[in-house]
Structures are given as C-alpha cells and as structure tokens.
Amino acid sequence: MGYGNLARGVECAVLSSGDMALRAVFTRRDPAVVRTRSGAPVVEAARAGEYGDEIDVMVLCGGSASDLPEQTPRAAAMFDVVDSFDTHALIEEHFHRVDEAARGGGHAALIACGWDPGLFSMQRMLSAAVLPRGRDYTFWGRGVSQGHSDAVRRVPGVRDARQYTVPVRKAVDAVRAGKDPELTVRQKHTRECYVVPEEGADLGAIREAIVSMPHYFSDYDTTVKFITAEEMERDHRGMPHGGFVIRSGVTGMEGEHRQLIEYSLKLDSNPEFTGSVLAACARAVYRKRREGAVGCFTMADVTLAELSEKTGKKLRALL
Amino acid sequence: MGYGNLARGVECAVLSSGDMALRAVFTRRDPAVVRTRSGAPVVEAARAGEYGDEIDVMVLCGGSASDLPEQTPRAAAMFDVVDSFDTHALIEEHFHRVDEAARGGGHAALIACGWDPGLFSMQRMLSAAVLPRGRDYTFWGRGVSQGHSDAVRRVPGVRDARQYTVPVRKAVDAVRAGKDPELTVRQKHTRECYVVPEEGADLGAIREAIVSMPHYFSDYDTTVKFITAEEMERDHRGMPHGGFVIRSGVTGMEGEHRQLIEYSLKLDSNPEFTGSVLAACARAVYRKRREGAVGCFTMADVTLAELSEKTGKKLRALL
C-alpha cells in the first residue's frame, strides 16, 4: 500500500526473496501514472478490498503522521498486515487500535517494523533480558533525517535542504568505555543542514530560523551550510543512515564485572534496508497467522525462525 | 546441574532476576564439600530425579565434550532444561537426541544457549533473514579460550598457561569497510599464550610444542610469552572475552547499496555473561512449556517476550 521510497525498498526485498511474490501495488494516485520497478500491477487503493483472496500479507508503506494511524487498522480488518509505524510515543495507542481491528477481522498484524523501532527494539529487549542491571544508549546517524529535512525546506527562502543527524563521538566513546554517562540531547547528537537558498534570500535569516526552530533544532548544536543545487544533486542524493544501540551492564555478586553489548547499522540506503526488514516481517506475520495467531504483534513476539526463509535444519547450521 | 564457573554465573543471574529463585545445585562431587555463593542447598546429582515437582527448569552447566551429550537428554526426560552445548558441528545430532528424550518425557528443552552459539547465532539468523544477499563474518576476542589454555597446560614443562584469542585488526577493518574479503583462519585471528614454565624447563621446546600443535595452534600465528606465577596471578586472573558478528550485504535492484550490520560483545566475565544468557533462556523454556510446547528448541524458536522478565506493555515501551 503506497509507492514511495519505502515501498520501492519492500519491492526490491520481495524480489530477492525466494518465497515471496509481489501481487499488486495499491496507490491513492491515478494508477495509470504509477510505474513499478518490477512491473507489478498498480491498483487504486480503494479497490484493495477486492484482493482479500489473492494477498497473503498487505505491507503498509505510508507515513506514521497521518497515513498509518488510519490505514493500518482499516487494512488489518481485511488482511494480515505489516507496518512501520515509528512514532514511539504513540505505539501503545496504535497497538490497541490495530489489535481490535485485527481481532475483529480474524487477522494478524505486526506493527512498528523497521530498524528503529524494529531491529533496534529487538536489541534493546534482548540486551535488557540478558543484562537486567544496566542501561541503554541509542545513537542515530550519521544519516539523513527525512522529517528534519522537510522542516528545513519549510523555512522561507529555502529551495531545497538535506539534514544529517550526527552522533557525538565523545559521547559514544564514553559509553563504549563503560562510563555510563548521563547525556543531554545536545551531548548525544549534532545536526548538519545543507541548504540551497532561493536567489536573493537572506542567508542570515534562514540560518537563524533553522537553529532556533523548537523541537527540531533548538535543543541541538546545529550547523547550516549553503550550497548550490548542483552540489545538492552531486553530494546529497543518497539516503544513508545508521546508528547503534549499546547496553552497558554489570554482572557478579557485587556488580563487579562490566558487560557491553553493541548493535550497529551502517546503511547506504535507509528505505531499502527498512523495506528489507518489512519483507522479513511479512513472512513472519504470514507464518503466525497460519499457526492460528490473531491480533496485533510486535517484534517482541516473533521468532527468528518465523522471520527467516530458511528451514529449521538450515537455521541450526547457523547456530 | 554442576557447580563450576558457568554455574556460578547462572547463580548470580538468577539472584538478580525478579522472577526466579535457585532451588538447588546438583553436583557429582560430595555435596558436603561444595559451598554455593548464594547459600542454595547442594544435592547429589544422582538424587535429581526426586526434585521433579520442585524445579521448573534444570540448567545444565557441564561441558560439551563429555557431560552434556549424555546429561541433557537424560535430564530432558525428567525436567524442562536449558544447556549451553557449543560443539557447533554436533548440534544437529545433539538436537535430535534431546528432542526425542524431551518428547518422551513431555518436556521442553532449549539447547546451545550462551553467546556463541546463542546470541551470536540469533544475530546470524536475524541478519540473514533481513539481508539475504550478503555474507557473515564472526570474530572472537580478545579473550581467554579455556580449551586452548588447557591444551597449553598439557605441554610438558608447563606449570600454568592462559591463551588469548585475538582478532586481526586488518581483517576486521576490511570487513567493516564492506570489502567482503576472503579470509583464511590465519588471517582472522592470532593466538597469544602466557606460560608459567616449570623450573629448569626447556623454554625453546615448550614454545615449539605449542606453535606446532595441530588443530589448536599450527594454523595460526601464535606468540608464546613466559611469565612468572606472580605475573599470571596479577595480570591474567580474569576471564574476559567477546567478539563480533558482521553481516555485509547489499540491497537494490542491482545490489547497488551496501548495508552493514554488526553485533559486538565486550565481556569482563565470560562465564557470568554466559550464565546470564542461560538464566534468560530458562525463563523462555519455562514459558514455552506453560504454553504447551514439548520437544527440543533453539534460539531460532524463542521470542524476546519469552526471554524477558518484562510484560508486553513494558516491552512495547522499549520498542
């Protein structure tokens, strides 16, 4: 459902899996103007209900702000579904709405899939289960934040913009050294903005509007660099991202031994990687449903065998 | 079952969990000479069968070479069990023997728990599910290998020894840079031996016997350093270990985007960390059994919710 960057990432992942096929792409646009990379048929979103018998899993590729809160419950009443809902603070509410809809329709839903929430969530849960005495640190970047780039683009005088979230090396080093630092928002990440201004725009005013923007930038050390449209196209076309989750914990009768777990991602393409996670999650929700599961689930509820294309015996070879 | 370093690690982990209690320690030694750190009662191993009603999960803490192949199936016929069987090449055989015994007794067993196999296995499975086009690299260390230390201790003229497995920085860097190198055994790890010789021993002969030892050292670049018993006690008492699993993969229609996943552990105490994993696995096997599961399972079959002490709602807050 949807055919933006994330959906194209899912499409790629489905094509490189041996056990999945892409049956259709649903869009709210005119299907005649949407052309899929794989040649999969494009269908009006309003006609999705006609595909109940043909589709095992519907992968919802909309945004968390306005699409998914409404799309996922509606789809879960008709299909087994997967989404990448990522507004952390609203996950519990979304979970209950999707759960009710899925139970009503006798379907299974797996929400908040991707890498954060998603793989990073799995690591936070796993590390906390193994090291109950400890604390978690999550750093993001260096990578492009879509939401922050959009916020900069809305500043008057800005023609185009790209925002990179950058973890602060000193903070990361202190965590890795097991120092368990208390870190403010400002101490964990910096923000770098690359801005193509409109001709004759007041650069000082643009800079000031960005760095003082509440929620997005005012709590961070933000740098603003003005570049040309050519430089934007040449140097900032990609959508790299990444980050790491670190659990710093202790074991021993007196907590005398430090144990450090780190999980890190270095991604050349954020939407393609997120799409790959969604594809594996589609497999998992399909299998859960075939085992009789109904309702809403998260990454806390799936097994690696459910996520994997491999058989039990082949998985045991990976042990 | 058993009360060596690993069992003491499990004991610590159980004590720091809110939902577990240590009912008894079973030993093949005279129980009168075994004193637990927590004060838990010590019972002859032969009397374990009498405890079927009192024990939810039996954690088997013996070695993979001779203890577990025989202990785990026997215990699985009477209890829900967890073990840390780690002879990778024999896991499939062990799995089937334990599965048969567990099914016979109506119990559940979770085998090959720990960090490798165990957490590292989970990461290999997860990464392969998400990035089917890619390859895995596992590096161990810097850390003490018990098996290799024992092998050095058996060399004539050696009074005490400690062997460290050390990943080769150049190889790690090439993998992290996404170069997908082909690496021989020698190119991935070096081995450092610290040896306390007996008085008057032929140091040259000891060194030669170690570096040329088949399986253990002859395929590696091995260094041998002679130290005093005091230096051994002062500098090499700990049991640190660690390592990392890297999946280097690609996504995109033409595989044009590189995606790198890395999981790493830096452990001050290997047995305490492994014991912490076994404790979480004991929780998981208990929950599986309560849901009606019977037979043998691996880390491919457990959910993070089963491993965790937290409720579903608290886990969703970690998403």
Side-chain angles (χ1 to χ4, degrees):
Chain A
M1 176 66 75
Y3 197 65
N5 288 325
L6 175 58
R8 280 188 283 269
V10 173
E11 180 180 28
C12 252
V14 167
L15 293 178
S16 57
S17 296
D19 57 351
M20 292 190 237
L22 180 59
R23 178 65 190 85
V25 169
F26 298 93
T27 179
R28 288 172 298 190
R29 289 178 275 171
D30 174 2
V33 305
V34 177
R35 213 194 169 88
T36 56
R37 292 207 274 179
S38 63
V42 182
V43 180
E44 275 172 77
R47 292 183 46 211
E50 301 168 23
Y51 285 73
D53 292 340
E54 287 180 59
I55 290 173
D56 291 316
V57 183
M58 169 81 82
V59 182
L60 297 154
C61 299
S64 295
S66 52
D67 301 330
L68 299 177
E70 179 258 330
Q71 279 180 353
T72 310
R74 183 146 44 91
M78 298 186 281
F79 302 96
D80 297 331
V81 302
V82 165
D83 84 11
S84 64
F85 187 79
D86 67 359
T87 312
H88 289 254
L90 301 177
I91 285 178
E92 188 65 17
E93 185 188 329
H94 187 61
F95 175 87
H96 288 289
R97 293 190 59 217
V98 175
D99 191 52
E100 197 186 333
R103 287 180 191 282
H107 287 286
L110 187 54
I111 60 160
C113 308
W115 58 274
D116 197 359
L119 301 187
F120 275 16
S121 319
M122 294 176 78
Q123 302 300 332
R124 286 187 285 262
M125 293 171 184
L126 178 60
S127 296
V130 168
L131 290 178
R133 289 178 284 173
R135 63 191 284 181
D136 288 319
Y137 294 89
T138 303
F139 292 91
W140 298 274
R142 185 177 192 261
V144 175
S145 162
Q146 221 53 59
H148 285 77
S149 299
D150 290 344
V152 176
R153 281 189 208 104
R154 288 190 296 263
V155 170
V158 170
R159 201 171 118 199
D160 195 6
R162 198 65 45 94
Q163 194 267 186
Y164 294 86
T165 305
V166 185
V168 175
R169 165 60 69 173
K170 207 175 117 185
V172 176
D173 287 347
V175 173
R176 285 190 180 140
K179 291 181 184 161
D180 286 3
E182 291 286 341
L183 296 168
T184 64
V185 160
R186 189 179 298 273
Q187 287 169 326
K188 286 183 72 187
H189 297 93
T190 57
R191 298 195 175 278
E192 291 176 9
C193 305
Y194 294 84
V195 175
V196 181
E198 285 170 0
E199 238 186 82
D202 178 344
L203 304 190
I206 290 175
R207 189 188 306 271
E208 185 51 33
I210 295 171
V211 303
S212 63
M213 196 185 298
H215 307 305
Y216 286 93
F217 295 101
S218 62
D219 293 337
Y220 297 86
D221 290 337
T222 302
T223 56
V224 178
K225 285 177 193 157
F226 293 99
I227 61 174
T228 65
E230 293 68 36
E231 285 167 329
M232 179 65 81
E233 174 66 16
R234 187 190 68 203
D235 303 333
H236 302 282
R237 279 183 61 190
M239 282 177 280
H241 218 313
F244 24 102
V245 179
I246 301 174
R247 176 101 179 159
S248 176
V250 294
T251 60
M253 289 307 211
E254 315 291 334
E256 66 272 32
H257 293 124
R258 183 153 297 272
Q259 318 277 20
L260 211 78
I261 306 178
E262 177 168 345
Y263 183 76
S264 85
L265 297 175
K266 251 192 289 181
L267 311 175
D268 274 2
S269 166
N270 183 2
E272 282 179 6
F273 187 78
T274 306
S276 299
V277 178
L278 287 180
C281 288
R283 182 184 290 124
V285 81
Y286 169 83
R287 290 185 175 158
K288 276 201 167 307
R289 183 71 201 86
R290 291 308 163 285
E291 294 290 317
V294 161
C296 189
F297 300 91
T298 72
M299 298 308 265
D301 308 304
V302 298
T303 67
L304 298 166
E306 286 168 340
L307 288 166
S308 175
E309 191 179 334
K310 295 185 203 304
T311 62
K313 187 172 178 175
K314 281 199 174 150
L315 281 174
R316 288 193 291 276
L318 282 181
L319 280 171
Chain B
M1 175 67 74
Y3 197 64
N5 287 325
L6 175 58
R8 280 188 284 268
V10 173
E11 181 180 29
C12 251
V14 166
L15 293 177
S16 56
S17 297
D19 58 351
M20 292 190 237
L22 180 59
R23 179 63 191 85
V25 169
F26 298 93
T27 179
R28 287 172 298 189
R29 289 178 275 171
D30 174 1
V33 305
V34 177
R35 213 195 169 89
T36 57
R37 291 207 272 180
S38 62
V42 182
V43 180
E44 275 173 76
R47 291 184 46 210
E50 302 167 22
Y51 285 73
D53 292 339
E54 287 181 59
I55 290 175
D56 290 316
V57 183
M58 168 81 83
V59 182
L60 296 153
C61 299
S64 295
S66 52
D67 301 331
L68 299 177
E70 178 259 331
Q71 279 180 353
T72 310
R74 183 145 43 92
M78 300 186 282
F79 302 96
D80 296 331
V81 302
V82 165
D83 83 11
S84 64
F85 187 79
D86 67 358
T87 312
H88 288 254
L90 301 178
I91 285 177
E92 188 65 18
E93 185 187 329
H94 187 61
F95 175 86
H96 288 290
R97 293 189 60 217
V98 174
D99 190 53
E100 197 186 332
R103 287 179 190 280
H107 287 286
L110 186 54
I111 60 161
C113 308
W115 58 273
D116 197 359
L119 301 187
F120 275 17
S121 319
M122 295 176 78
Q123 302 300 332
R124 285 188 285 261
M125 292 171 184
L126 178 60
S127 296
V130 169
L131 290 178
R133 289 177 284 172
R135 62 191 286 179
D136 289 318
Y137 294 87
T138 302
F139 292 91
W140 297 275
R142 185 177 191 259
V144 174
S145 161
Q146 222 51 58
H148 285 77
S149 298
D150 290 344
V152 175
R153 282 189 206 103
R154 287 191 297 264
V155 170
V158 171
R159 200 171 117 197
D160 195 4
R162 198 64 46 97
Q163 194 268 186
Y164 294 87
T165 305
V166 185
V168 174
R169 165 60 69 174
K170 209 176 115 184
V172 176
D173 287 346
V175 172
R176 284 188 180 143
K179 291 181 183 160
D180 286 3
E182 292 285 342
L183 296 168
T184 63
V185 160
R186 189 178 300 272
Q187 287 169 326
K188 286 183 71 186
H189 297 92
T190 56
R191 298 195 176 278
E192 291 177 9
C193 305
Y194 293 83
V195 174
V196 181
E198 285 169 0
E199 238 185 84
D202 178 343
L203 303 189
I206 290 175
R207 187 188 306 270
E208 185 51 32
I210 294 171
V211 303
S212 64
M213 196 185 299
H215 307 305
Y216 286 92
F217 294 102
S218 62
D219 293 337
Y220 298 85
D221 290 337
T222 302
T223 55
V224 178
K225 286 177 192 157
F226 293 99
I227 61 174
T228 65
E230 293 68 38
E231 286 168 330
M232 178 65 81
E233 174 65 16
R234 186 191 69 203
D235 303 332
H236 303 282
R237 278 183 62 190
M239 282 177 280
H241 218 314
F244 24 102
V245 178
I246 302 173
R247 176 97 178 163
S248 176
V250 294
T251 60
M253 288 309 212
E254 315 290 334
E256 65 272 32
H257 293 124
R258 183 153 298 272
Q259 317 278 19
L260 211 79
I261 306 176
E262 177 168 345
Y263 183 76
S264 85
L265 297 174
K266 251 192 289 180
L267 312 175
D268 274 2
S269 167
N270 183 3
E272 282 179 5
F273 186 78
T274 305
S276 298
V277 179
L278 287 180
C281 289
R283 181 184 292 123
V285 81
Y286 169 83
R287 291 184 175 162
K288 276 201 169 305
R289 183 71 200 87
R290 291 306 162 286
E291 293 289 316
V294 161
C296 189
F297 300 92
T298 72
M299 299 307 264
D301 308 304
V302 298
T303 67
L304 298 166
E306 286 168 341
L307 288 166
S308 175
E309 192 178 333
K310 295 186 203 306
T311 62
K313 187 171 178 175
K314 282 198 174 152
L315 280 174
R316 287 193 291 274
L318 281 181
L319 280 172

